[in-house]
Amino acid sequence: MSTQSAAPTGNPGTMVAPKTAPTKASPTKAAAKMHRRSRSGCFTCRLRRKKCDEGKNQCKACKHLGLKCEYKRPMWWSNNEQRKQQKETIKNIIKRTKLTEKTAQIGTSCAGTPPGLSHSLPTSATYSEATAHTRAPSIESQHSPSYEFNQPLSHDYYDYHPHIASPPYDTNAHYQPFPSTPYEVDIKTERQMFVNDIPTRRDSTISTFSTYQPPPPQPPLPSFPEDDWINENIYNTGDMFSGEEGLDLEFFDFSHGNPQASQQALIQVDDCDRPLLDHFIDNVLRLIFPILEVNQHGSARSDVILPALESNRCYLHCCLSVSAIHLKSTRGLQGEQIDNDILRHRCATITELCGALKNDSNHLQILEATLGMIFFQCSVGRPSDALPDVPWHAHFEAATSLVRKLELPHAMVHDNNARMHPPFNMTLASWIDILGATMLGRSPQFADTYREKNQSGSTSGLCELMGCEDSMMYLISEIACLDALKSSKGISDMQLCQLIESLGKSLDTTEVPPEMLTWPYSSTGAIRPRQLSRNMTAIFRLAARIYLCSLVPHASKEDPSMISLVDRFTGSLSLIPHGPDGFDRSIVWPLLIAGSQSTSRSIFRQALVGRMASLGEHAEFGSFGRMVRLLQEQWSTCRTIVTADFSAICSSLDHSEQHPNFVQSFDVIEEAPGGLHKLASHVKSPNDTSRVEKPATMATMNTSNDGVYLQAAVQPGYSETIDNIRLEEYPMLKDTVYLDHAGITPYPKSLIEQSSKHLMHNLFGNPHSNSPSSQLSTRHIEDVRLRALRFLKADPEFFDLVFVANATAGIKLVMEAFREHKGGFWYGYHRDAHTSLIGVREAASEHRCFGEDEEVNNWMQDLSASGAAYHRRQIGLFAYPAQSNLNGRRLPLSWPGGLRFPCQSSDCNVYSLLDAASLLSTSPLNLSDPSQAPDYTVFSFHKIFGFPDLGALVIRKESGLPLAMRKYFGGGTVENVTCTSEIWHIRKQDSLHEQLEDGTLPIHSIMALGTAFDIHKQLYGSLERISSHTSVLTNHLYECLSSLRHANGLPVCVIYKNTTSSYHDSSTQGPIIAFNIRNSNDQWVSNAEVEKLAAIRNIQFRTGSLCNPGGVASFLALEPQDVRRNFLAGQRCGNENDIREGRPTGVIRLSLGAMSNMHDVTAMIRFIEEFFVDSQCQPKSGVRLSGADVDFYIETLSIYPIKSCGGWQIPSGLAWDVRPEGLAWDREWCLIHQGTRAALSQKRIPQMVLLHPSIDFENGILHVRYDGKLPPSIPNVITVPLSSDSTPFEDLRPQCSKTLCPSRVCGDSVSAYTYTSPDIAAFFTAALSTPCTLGRFPPGPSSTRHSKFHSPPLGHQTPTQPPQSEQPIPGAFPPTPPPSPPAPNSTSINQTKLPILLSNESPILTISRSSLTHLNQTIASKSPPQAKPVPVPASVFRANIILAQSCPAAASVPYDEDNWRALTILDTSDPSPTSSPQKSTTLNILAPCRRCQM
């Protein structure tokens, strides 16, 4: 309901309103005013239901009222609750604006106006005729929600002179004596009700008020207590510009006194300069103080710029010159006129300054103009537009003298205790002073003042003006002083390091908890100034740390600590809004600091290019453009650095241009370790016109002994806003690199929240009913169905959509219908098809696999001839994927249309089935042309949105008849059914989806799908944008992986890409890369190893055959017999046995999605480079140590009775059995999951390491101790017999009960004895928080597990039979070990099946102490100097035998065991005569352990 208040109307005997205000607006006019609204203007006016003039970049109404003008659909528009909140916020802003206007105009009011009525808010009629408006006061009041704010306001209305103090208020001049008798006023109130924007009911009431208010002798300015709530609401609770934070709107002591609100300064300029002035006010002014504008909305305009323009001619000429520069830069103006304007006003500025300095007068105005010349020039213009006059620091010398003459530092220090407002000009001068000092390599001019302010903890206004907290700026001043002291050689390195450490601790005290650094916009889209200030301070803090670390003697940008700081800085940039409306221009100094210390491989450079892309042409102007040019010049001239291709974003920064000395602000800067102010000696001279060649591709690289250095230049299509989206919407991706979007993409946080809210506020019933909740469900389901069709651009007249569980369920539904046809059906599928498509062949009477695209084309050409007759007799189905889920290759979408034409011409019955699940995850599918669309299309919504888990089958209605042959029917698909004497049913005929959607639909998932469409559009816009975004990232990733080389030149990655596809063409290639890795010896690296190492780095992707057997077999050259042989040898998808006969059995797949960013790509490249690129390939040592050279001995001998649990060291001197399966009792037990019956591993349950078995020989039992905390009812130790015969163990007999059950160990099927004791199961279940029990896999000739060595070293010899112990160990199980099999011949060792128990690969594992020592030394040498790495213990490798050498450490050769053929262990305790042969045991070396290789 809309309520409108009318002004007083006259009655006999009452006072009459002024004549200029009509007593009552005509109904026609009133209605017209009430219905004035905009449907195409800005969303702010549309929310207010006001007409919008659609002015760009801001309409007049919003500009006048100080509202945020939004032409792009804001997030609050689609939410009714947020709309209400936004409307209230706008009302508060308007009330504040009108209140200040009212206060300003009281001073110019005329006599004859009675005092305000006690029961009403003041309206325009309260005041004199001099302030009367042309609007009808009977309809609209300043305090009415429907007050028309779009009308133009005259200068007389404001009557403002900013620099002239208002005279004392004279009440006699405004109020004439009036009678003391009471008077009456009638107030008419009209109310209008709207229903769906249509006016319905209209009411009006008249209230009569009587009042008597005798005037005091000298009455003060009338006050309106009723308005106190407005002041409290606005100034304490904030508005749409301040989010939920209150603002101090009178923080600064401005040089022009207390400003009047809503002023329009009367600035006198010549007519020829009026366009420059207008351009400055409308376009340049908003670029100058963005942070001040956020903190004190409108203050930069009303309190700083406009008053100075009116009263300060020098300042005016400076601004007009800057305006002309901005016009020339942004509009591309050329010619003498614009150049004359620039120089004319520049010269006028200098002339005015010189005249004032000569007269030694107007110091404040001179300071104001001088600071403007310095600061405004940094805000506009291209780097090549700088004027060849006095450099900025020379101007600042003059400003410094004026500051001292005006005693502003003293005034600022005096404010410490007086809590007075800081002088604005001193605050601006302080900002220039501190940051300029870091550029010039000298101490700030007012460093002592800052130090005193820092000690007192008082503010200088730097935070309110520029965003960074004052304490941080004070510390930057101290660092600049230290830099100057270092440059002057006035300090020793020891003293320098002490001061650096002290300043570092001071920076530590300013740190805030990470949870306090969040996105600065509120949920309603309002900026939160305090949060923005915290974020910007964090950016400046990191930049200050980088600056401080650069002062360390011999510091280098290649230091790990410096690289880490720059990476942290880059990560924090996501907290600063970017783009034209962001705050990149406010963090130029931190960006310059970080960029000067970034390496060629730093992600900072990619982030900077991304932010440049979001800024667009604005990245070329002002201080940001100068910073970019300076960094570009520095990077291009550094000897070891490859330049990022910035020209892809800003072509105007071409090195071939001749430009003036744009680095005049940094003219003493040069690049050297430890000094930012030494940056520009590497910058080219402006006269150097040598051309820098631009890379033709997106990635540039420099191959050297240090590896491959890659840099990406962001191309159109990469959306840098993804970083902000990830921060807000995908908290689960924090510190994680997720590259398995082809499997499923993550869901955004807002999708879950909005879906839950939708379900909480609505009751959805079963749609197979007529209740209100059921009808609500039906209506929503049909709406979502329509949206899903439109998502594919499918016309509902020609297509229908069936909701299914996923794409596979849709395929199965089509298959079930086709197999019911008489004679079955013919089925053809492409080699790149997913397993779900291949499985359809089992239901077909005949099937064919097409290996190449050309086979499909030839087959379709033959359909009109010989094949047509066959397909007239038998229905056919041809299926293929739109995009291969293996490598992202995109297949032709023209096949369905090409298949339909010969079928129609020859009356053929072959239909097409398209699997679009992989394609639609990142790319659109257009079904707008029914003649070219597939007959059936399946896909999964969760691959697009992440949630809900739902799929769809889209059916071309003309192709719906074959699906009607399906015999099964479920609930909801039939009209009626009989089930007794007569069997009869009738199916629903209204639509295809009614016939095929069996049972109750997943109602809540479909409701969530509707929300998913909305959220997806809000975040990403369209699939076209996602496709462009992922294409850029994938292309960069592909080129980087392709370029990786070992030091010997061999490629690291073998990428499986079709010859017909290109990563530069999104029509042929999707965002998926499939590859394998080779080491420097040209051997394949196990994918299981890659995946395990990636997990350590929080990188997630998929390996294996990827449910694409045809594609994997084709790329890996696996014949069917190879696949069967690998299976029989124990290879399973997902297990570690993925290298068979020297060939891989699967691939690594990296797939990108909508929320992937450049950091994901860079992290993956660095991961492969770190672990798998061999930068120092050396031939293996040819040294062979014999017994004469070195004496090896067994340092320790250990067994691991329970698989994946702790080990037990065999006591020294104790004889131990060596069996064909390994050491006695080693890995003979395991823990079995009670549900899956699979053996548990430490990789999945790390707590297993806390279980410590030990063997008690005297009693013949096995003790298992748990070192963690267990419930009181469960003991910390359990005991089981070593022997299978429980007769000697009466006390343990209940725990000896076992049953033989099938189980799985490392992918192998085995039969293990499972302990049935509840106590044993309770102990292990409580220890691991997993339902499990103990199992035992006994050794013997019937063992079903065998060793799995992969690439044995050359020169294997025949293994010899280990001798049997003369005395068996007590309690052995079985009591007498079986005889070992005869030794195989030397040519068959690789084919011999060596039995193992529960170990992963081989019977026995051994390591060398010299190799372990070398490993720890390598780790220590590669660790940062301040780090103290913990040595890797031998127990980590879980080896049975640890060998050590008695020779000196210098004589040991690490990793020499890789060349051994066999290991012979001599019995040195044998008392036999020396003439007799010494007893020995020989162990053959099978292969290097893959765990050690990793």
Side-chain angles (χ1 to χ4, degrees):
M1 177 180 292
S2 176
T3 304
Q4 298 174 333
S5 299
T9 59
N11 271 347
T14 64
M15 291 188 66
V16 181
K19 293 180 180 180
T20 55
T23 58
K24 183 177 180 181
S26 64
T28 304
K29 272 192 174 181
K33 281 187 175 287
M34 283 186 292
H35 290 90
R36 274 191 288 176
R37 57 180 301 184
S38 175
R39 295 184 181 274
S40 60
C42 73
F43 282 87
T44 305
C45 291
R46 292 168 68 178
L47 182 66
R48 295 177 54 229
R49 297 174 178 264
K50 294 297 178 183
K51 185 176 180 180
C52 180
D53 64 358
E54 302 183 25
K56 306 293 183 178
N57 293 324
Q58 197 173 18
C59 69
K60 289 183 179 179
C62 294
K63 187 175 181 180
H64 166 62
L65 295 171
L67 301 175
K68 185 177 181 182
C69 190
E70 299 186 76
Y71 284 98
K72 292 184 179 179
R73 183 186 180 96
M75 294 188 66
W76 49 259
W77 185 258
S78 58
N79 186 288
N80 289 333
E81 190 64 31
Q82 292 185 4
R83 269 199 190 185
K84 292 179 182 178
Q85 295 176 2
Q86 184 71 8
K87 196 167 185 178
E88 288 302 317
T89 301
I90 291 175
K91 285 182 180 180
N92 289 337
I93 297 173
I94 294 174
K95 287 177 182 177
R96 180 184 69 179
T97 304
K98 303 314 294 180
L99 176 64
T100 52
E101 286 180 4
K102 174 190 66 182
T103 305
Q105 74 187 37
I106 285 178
T108 59
S109 298
C110 300
T113 304
L117 301 177
S118 58
H119 296 286
S120 64
L121 292 175
T123 67
S124 60
T126 310
Y127 307 112
S128 66
E129 295 182 10
T131 58
H133 307 292
T134 57
R135 62 185 175 86
S138 60
I139 294 298
E140 296 170 320
S141 168
Q142 290 181 1
H143 303 277
S144 170
S146 54
Y147 169 61
E148 177 55 60
F149 295 106
N150 293 328
Q151 56 187 341
L153 298 173
S154 65
H155 293 296
D156 296 336
Y157 179 82
Y158 295 100
D159 193 21
Y160 171 71
H161 300 279
H163 63 286
I164 302 176
S166 300
Y169 186 78
D170 184 2
T171 57
N172 293 326
H174 294 274
Y175 292 112
Q176 299 294 334
F178 50 88
S180 58
T181 57
Y183 59 89
E184 295 181 347
V185 176
D186 290 344
I187 304 297
K188 183 175 182 179
T189 303
E190 295 183 351
R191 292 179 173 86
Q192 178 75 56
M193 178 179 293
F194 295 87
V195 177
N196 295 331
D197 297 336
I198 300 175
T200 55
R201 180 176 176 181
R202 184 186 181 102
D203 300 322
S204 64
T205 59
I206 296 179
S207 302
T208 301
F209 293 85
S210 177
T211 182
Y212 170 70
Q213 287 184 323
Q218 292 292 333
L221 182 69
S223 62
F224 305 96
E226 294 86 348
D227 291 347
D228 290 344
W229 67 273
I230 298 178
N231 289 302
E232 181 180 355
N233 225 14
I234 297 299
Y235 292 96
N236 293 337
T237 62
D239 55 23
M240 73 176 296
F241 296 96
S242 60
E244 296 79 18
E245 303 170 357
L247 303 178
D248 182 1
L249 298 179
E250 297 180 358
F251 181 84
F252 286 105
D253 178 14
F254 295 105
S255 59
H256 300 273
N258 293 329
Q260 297 291 332
S262 301
Q263 61 190 6
Q264 176 64 47
L266 301 177
I267 305 169
Q268 300 297 328
V269 294
D270 296 336
D271 291 341
C272 63
D273 292 330
R274 177 61 61 179
L276 291 178
L277 178 61
D278 293 340
H279 180 78
F280 181 83
I281 294 175
D282 295 337
N283 299 289
V284 181
L285 192 146
R286 61 187 175 86
L287 302 175
I288 298 176
F289 296 111
I291 301 297
L292 179 63
E293 193 71 12
V294 168
N295 284 298
Q296 302 187 34
H297 180 66
S299 184
R301 176 192 181 98
S302 61
D303 303 337
V304 181
I305 307 296
L306 295 185
L309 289 174
E310 184 177 6
S311 61
N312 190 341
R313 298 298 296 176
C314 181
Y315 190 86
L316 173 62
H317 286 298
C318 171
C319 294
L320 294 179
S321 175
V322 169
S323 178
I325 293 174
H326 189 261
L327 263 175
K328 180 180 179 181
S329 302
T330 57
R331 306 287 175 83
L333 299 181
Q334 300 294 332
E336 294 184 1
Q337 180 62 43
I338 191 68
D339 292 336
N340 288 338
D341 288 339
I342 296 173
L343 293 176
R344 176 166 56 89
H345 289 292
R346 189 72 165 179
C347 292
T349 304
I350 301 297
T351 302
E352 295 276 356
L353 282 176
C354 293
L357 289 172
K358 183 177 180 180
N359 297 329
D360 196 23
S361 62
N362 298 327
H363 296 152
L364 196 58
Q365 292 187 359
I366 298 174
L367 174 62
E368 198 168 45
T370 306
L371 294 177
M373 291 179 64
I374 298 172
F375 197 77
F376 293 0
Q377 182 66 34
C378 295
S379 302
V380 300
R382 300 176 186 269
S384 57
D385 292 332
L387 295 175
D389 62 359
V390 184
W392 74 270
H393 46 85
H395 285 303
F396 191 69
E397 292 292 341
T400 300
S401 300
L402 291 169
V403 167
R404 298 188 189 279
K405 185 169 293 188
L406 291 169
E407 297 184 346
L408 293 182
H410 173 74
M412 182 177 282
V413 173
H414 178 67
D415 292 346
N416 290 351
N417 298 322
R419 297 187 177 274
M420 297 174 63
H421 299 307
F424 178 81
N425 286 328
M426 184 61 201
T427 302
L428 181 57
S430 300
W431 182 268
I432 299 173
D433 183 28
I434 294 174
L435 297 188
T438 66
M439 300 292 101
L440 300 173
R442 69 186 187 192
S443 299
Q445 297 289 337
F446 308 108
D448 293 336
T449 301
Y450 311 139
R451 196 171 293 119
E452 189 171 347
K453 296 283 288 184
N454 190 27
Q455 292 172 356
S456 64
S458 60
T459 178
S460 300
L462 296 169
C463 181
E464 288 73 14
L465 182 63
M466 295 300 182
C468 181
E469 294 175 2
D470 296 62
S471 59
M472 182 54 54
M473 295 303 300
Y474 299 151
L475 288 175
I476 294 175
S477 172
E478 294 298 318
I479 299 174
C481 293
L482 183 60
D483 189 7
L485 192 61
K486 176 188 176 185
S487 300
S488 64
K489 308 296 183 182
I491 188 173
S492 66
D493 287 352
M494 179 68 70
Q495 292 173 320
L496 176 64
C497 291
Q498 291 175 351
L499 291 175
I500 290 175
E501 182 180 4
S502 176
L503 285 174
K505 293 179 179 178
S506 298
L507 288 172
D508 292 339
T509 62
T510 66
E511 290 282 357
V512 296
E515 58 269 15
M516 293 184 65
L517 300 178
T518 61
W519 186 238
Y521 284 97
S522 67
S523 59
T524 62
I527 188 71
R528 296 180 292 168
R530 293 176 185 168
Q531 185 60 54
L532 177 64
S533 175
R534 277 193 291 268
N535 295 352
M536 293 192 66
T537 303
I539 291 292
F540 274 81
R541 183 184 300 111
L542 285 169
R545 288 189 185 278
I546 296 173
Y547 183 21
L548 184 63
C549 288
S550 70
L551 303 181
V552 175
H554 311 295
S556 169
K557 63 180 67 177
E558 297 290 344
D559 291 341
S561 58
M562 184 66 75
I563 294 175
S564 175
L565 275 175
V566 175
D567 287 347
R568 284 177 55 196
F569 177 91
T570 307
S572 299
L573 284 178
S574 60
L575 298 171
I576 306 298
H578 55 85
D581 297 326
F583 299 92
D584 286 325
R585 292 181 289 266
S586 300
I587 56 172
V588 169
W589 183 82
L591 290 172
L592 179 62
I593 293 289
S596 66
Q597 297 298 324
S598 66
T599 64
S600 61
R601 298 195 296 175
S602 173
I603 59 176
F604 168 83
R605 302 191 180 189
Q606 301 159 5
L608 177 61
V609 175
R611 298 184 85 87
M612 290 171 58
S614 63
L615 271 174
E617 65 175 5
H618 299 278
E620 307 171 17
F621 305 133
S623 55
F624 191 93
R626 289 172 170 78
M627 177 270 299
V628 169
R629 177 68 71 86
L630 182 60
L631 288 179
Q632 185 184 25
E633 293 281 0
Q634 183 228 353
W635 293 344
S636 65
T637 54
C638 287
R639 183 167 47 87
T640 58
I641 294 178
V642 179
T643 303
D645 186 14
F646 289 108
S647 58
I649 300 302
C650 44
S651 60
S652 66
L653 298 186
D654 193 332
H655 291 278
S656 64
E657 292 183 14
Q658 293 190 16
H659 49 268
N661 187 9
F662 68 91
V663 291
Q664 57 183 353
S665 303
F666 317 101
D667 53 3
V668 293
I669 304 176
E670 61 183 344
E671 150 94 359
L676 174 73
H677 61 280
K678 300 178 178 180
L679 184 68
S681 65
H682 289 306
V683 178
K684 295 181 184 177
S685 167
N687 299 322
D688 184 6
T689 59
S690 60
R691 175 173 291 275
V692 176
E693 294 297 329
K694 299 176 183 177
T697 61
M698 179 184 168
T700 60
M701 62 185 177
N702 174 29
T703 56
S704 66
N705 291 334
D706 296 330
V708 181
Y709 301 148
L710 298 163
Q711 272 305 324
V714 175
Q715 301 274 335
Y718 174 68
S719 175
E720 208 260 339
T721 58
I722 293 299
D723 296 337
N724 298 331
I725 292 176
R726 282 179 63 137
L727 186 67
E728 289 292 318
E729 294 288 346
Y730 298 93
M732 72 288 290
L733 294 182
K734 184 180 180 182
D735 301 327
T736 298
V737 176
Y738 184 77
L739 296 173
D740 190 22
H741 294 267
I744 189 170
T745 195
Y747 45 79
K749 179 178 68 173
S750 57
L751 171 55
I752 304 301
E753 293 173 347
Q754 294 293 336
S755 299
S756 301
K757 186 176 180 180
H758 185 49
L759 294 176
M760 290 294 293
H761 289 81
N762 293 279
L763 177 62
F764 295 107
N766 190 317
H768 300 158
S769 179
N770 290 322
S771 65
S773 60
S774 300
Q775 293 304 305
L776 179 63
S777 297
T778 301
R779 185 168 66 252
H780 276 273
I781 289 172
E782 295 310 314
D783 290 345
V784 174
R785 192 190 310 276
L786 180 60
R787 292 192 65 179
L789 286 173
R790 289 176 175 172
F791 186 72
L792 304 176
K793 297 180 175 60
D795 190 341
E797 182 179 350
F798 300 102
F799 294 91
D800 201 351
L801 184 141
V802 178
F803 287 114
V804 291
N806 46 42
T808 299
I811 296 171
K812 185 178 179 182
L813 184 60
V814 175
M815 179 270 294
E816 289 174 346
F818 269 71
R819 73 179 176 186
E820 300 298 338
H821 285 259
K822 185 177 181 180
F825 71 101
W826 174 91
Y827 182 60
Y829 59 95
H830 196 276
R831 180 191 61 196
D832 288 338
H834 190 275
T835 302
S836 299
L837 281 182
I838 299 175
V840 177
R841 72 185 185 189
E842 302 302 312
S845 56
E846 296 183 42
H847 55 83
R848 174 183 177 182
C849 177
F850 296 93
E852 300 292 341
D853 294 357
E854 192 61 28
E855 291 185 42
V856 178
N857 295 328
N858 295 336
W859 167 71
M860 288 193 297
Q861 292 177 2
D862 295 340
L863 276 181
S864 57
S866 58
Y870 174 79
H871 287 297
R872 291 191 194 100
R873 300 190 303 269
Q874 186 183 37
I875 194 171
L877 179 65
F878 169 65
Y880 76 102
Q883 174 179 292
S884 169
N885 69 304
L886 173 72
N887 66 349
R889 176 251 178 146
R890 289 177 176 170
L891 285 75
L893 295 177
S894 59
W895 282 347
L899 176 63
R900 186 168 295 115
F901 176 76
C903 287
Q904 290 176 345
S905 60
S906 59
D907 201 20
C908 172
N909 289 326
V910 179
Y911 294 84
S912 57
L913 169 61
L914 181 71
D915 177 7
S918 181
L919 175 73
L920 275 171
S921 61
T922 57
S923 183
L925 177 63
N926 191 336
L927 301 181
S928 58
D929 187 357
S931 64
Q932 299 298 317
D935 296 306
Y936 316 110
T937 304
V938 295
F939 61 95
S940 299
F941 289 108
H942 51 264
K943 289 186 181 290
I944 308 172
F945 309 126
F947 178 82
D949 299 332
L950 193 66
L953 165 64
V954 178
I955 306 170
R956 188 171 167 269
K957 288 184 177 180
E958 291 185 0
S959 308
L961 183 61
L963 302 183
M965 299 300 295
R966 192 176 68 124
K967 292 183 178 180
Y968 175 81
F969 60 84
T973 62
V974 290
E975 297 286 2
N976 218 327
V977 179
T978 62
C979 55
T980 53
S981 58
E982 183 179 356
I983 304 301
W984 172 85
H985 72 274
I986 181 69
R987 293 181 180 271
K988 290 185 176 180
Q989 302 296 326
D990 292 342
S991 63
L992 287 170
H993 67 260
E994 286 187 337
Q995 302 175 30
L996 299 174
E997 290 175 343
D998 298 318
T1000 302
L1001 286 171
I1003 304 167
H1004 304 118
S1005 293
I1006 297 175
M1007 300 302 117
L1009 178 60
T1011 306
F1013 282 120
D1014 294 331
I1015 300 298
H1016 192 265
K1017 186 174 183 179
Q1018 291 175 16
L1019 295 179
Y1020 305 111
S1022 65
L1023 282 174
E1024 286 82 0
R1025 292 185 62 189
I1026 294 175
S1027 178
S1028 178
H1029 166 76
T1030 54
S1031 179
V1032 170
L1033 294 179
T1034 312
N1035 183 35
H1036 175 53
L1037 178 59
Y1038 168 73
E1039 293 188 358
C1040 292
L1041 293 177
S1042 302
S1043 63
L1044 291 176
R1045 293 289 187 276
H1046 295 291
N1048 58 10
L1050 291 177
V1052 177
C1053 301
V1054 178
I1055 300 178
Y1056 304 113
K1057 185 183 77 69
N1058 292 74
T1059 56
T1060 57
S1061 64
S1062 170
Y1063 283 96
H1064 294 281
D1065 183 5
S1066 59
S1067 65
T1068 62
Q1069 180 63 50
I1072 300 176
I1073 298 178
F1075 66 101
N1076 276 317
I1077 298 177
R1078 281 183 175 271
N1079 59 26
S1080 57
N1081 295 326
D1082 206 23
Q1083 295 177 333
W1084 296 106
V1085 177
S1086 168
N1087 294 336
E1089 298 174 14
V1090 180
E1091 198 167 13
K1092 289 177 182 177
L1093 288 173
I1096 298 174
R1097 288 287 186 266
N1098 286 331
I1099 300 176
Q1100 302 181 29
F1101 47 79
R1102 187 173 174 183
T1103 63
S1105 62
L1106 313 178
C1107 293
N1108 196 309
V1112 168
S1114 174
F1115 283 115
L1116 301 182
L1118 295 174
E1119 297 296 332
Q1121 57 270 25
D1122 297 329
V1123 177
R1124 289 194 297 269
R1125 183 167 56 251
N1126 292 341
F1127 176 82
L1128 294 175
Q1131 189 272 327
R1132 301 291 187 273
C1133 184
N1135 68 5
E1136 300 179 359
N1137 190 18
D1138 55 6
I1139 303 291
R1140 300 298 306 173
E1141 299 179 358
R1143 290 189 297 175
T1145 59
V1147 301
I1148 302 169
R1149 183 184 72 185
L1150 309 178
S1151 54
L1152 287 79
M1155 68 291 307
S1156 299
N1157 61 4
M1158 193 62 76
H1159 174 265
D1160 293 336
V1161 174
T1162 306
M1164 186 65 200
I1165 296 168
R1166 287 184 172 178
F1167 161 72
I1168 295 178
E1169 195 173 25
E1170 177 184 1
F1171 287 100
F1172 302 104
V1173 176
D1174 193 345
S1175 58
Q1176 296 178 347
C1177 298
Q1178 298 177 354
K1180 290 185 178 294
S1181 172
V1183 179
R1184 296 292 181 269
L1185 299 181
S1186 63
D1189 299 324
V1190 62
D1191 189 10
F1192 283 92
Y1193 64 93
I1194 296 179
E1195 182 180 280
T1196 61
L1197 193 64
S1198 303
I1199 61 171
Y1200 298 83
I1202 304 178
K1203 176 180 172 58
S1204 291
C1205 294
W1208 182 71
Q1209 185 172 328
I1210 298 174
S1212 177
L1214 181 64
W1216 206 260
D1217 267 353
V1218 181
R1219 302 173 178 171
E1221 299 85 4
L1223 299 179
W1225 291 317
D1226 183 49
R1227 284 138 174 132
E1228 193 168 319
W1229 285 267
C1230 67
L1231 298 179
I1232 299 176
H1233 193 279
Q1234 291 180 319
T1236 63
R1237 315 302 300 175
L1240 304 182
S1241 66
Q1242 195 178 116
K1243 181 175 66 176
R1244 290 178 172 81
I1245 306 179
Q1247 302 97 303
M1248 295 180 70
V1249 74
L1250 300 178
L1251 292 170
H1252 293 280
S1254 60
I1255 294 178
D1256 183 354
F1257 288 110
E1258 294 182 1
N1259 299 311
I1261 55 179
L1262 173 70
H1263 299 283
V1264 183
R1265 185 186 76 256
Y1266 181 65
D1267 286 348
K1269 186 176 181 180
L1270 292 174
S1273 59
I1274 297 178
N1276 282 343
V1277 179
I1278 64 163
T1279 303
V1280 295
L1282 291 173
S1283 173
S1284 60
D1285 184 7
S1286 59
T1287 303
F1289 307 96
E1290 292 294 333
D1291 297 339
L1292 300 178
R1293 184 169 297 177
Q1295 299 180 198
C1296 298
S1297 176
K1298 299 181 292 294
T1299 180
L1300 191 63
C1301 298
S1303 182
R1304 293 189 63 83
V1305 178
C1306 299
D1308 297 332
S1309 297
V1310 299
S1311 295
Y1313 288 95
T1314 304
Y1315 289 79
T1316 60
S1317 168
D1319 295 337
I1320 293 179
F1323 172 81
F1324 289 108
T1325 298
L1328 305 182
S1329 300
T1330 300
C1332 59
T1333 189
L1334 189 65
R1336 189 171 189 177
F1337 186 62
S1342 60
S1343 175
T1344 58
R1345 301 196 69 235
H1346 303 88
S1347 60
K1348 302 178 179 66
F1349 51 89
H1350 304 278
S1351 53
L1354 298 175
H1356 267 301
Q1357 291 183 342
T1358 304
T1360 59
Q1361 178 180 348
Q1364 301 297 322
S1365 301
E1366 296 180 1
Q1367 297 295 329
I1369 300 176
F1373 178 57
T1376 302
S1380 300
N1385 56 46
S1386 59
T1387 61
S1388 61
I1389 182 172
N1390 291 349
Q1391 288 77 30
T1392 302
K1393 293 184 177 181
L1394 302 179
I1396 58 175
L1397 295 183
L1398 299 177
S1399 59
N1400 289 350
E1401 295 181 340
S1402 60
I1404 297 175
L1405 295 177
T1406 181
I1407 62 171
S1408 167
R1409 174 62 66 180
S1410 60
S1411 300
L1412 183 61
T1413 302
H1414 183 270
L1415 172 64
N1416 285 315
Q1417 292 173 350
T1418 303
I1419 293 174
S1421 65
K1422 292 186 177 182
S1423 300
Q1426 66 275 16
K1428 296 181 180 179
V1430 178
V1432 178
S1435 59
V1436 168
F1437 298 93
R1438 302 176 63 80
N1440 299 107
I1441 302 174
I1442 299 179
L1443 298 176
Q1445 299 173 233
S1446 57
C1447 67
S1452 63
V1453 180
Y1455 311 118
D1456 188 67
E1457 60 272 16
D1458 290 346
N1459 302 304
W1460 294 352
R1461 300 176 180 178
L1463 176 64
T1464 301
I1465 302 174
L1466 303 177
D1467 186 0
T1468 58
S1469 62
D1470 185 10
S1472 303
T1474 56
S1475 58
S1476 60
Q1478 193 174 15
K1479 292 183 179 180
S1480 64
T1481 300
T1482 299
L1483 306 175
N1484 287 295
I1485 304 297
L1486 298 178
C1489 174
R1490 289 195 295 173
R1491 183 183 293 118
C1492 298
Q1493 288 178 324
M1494 291 171 58

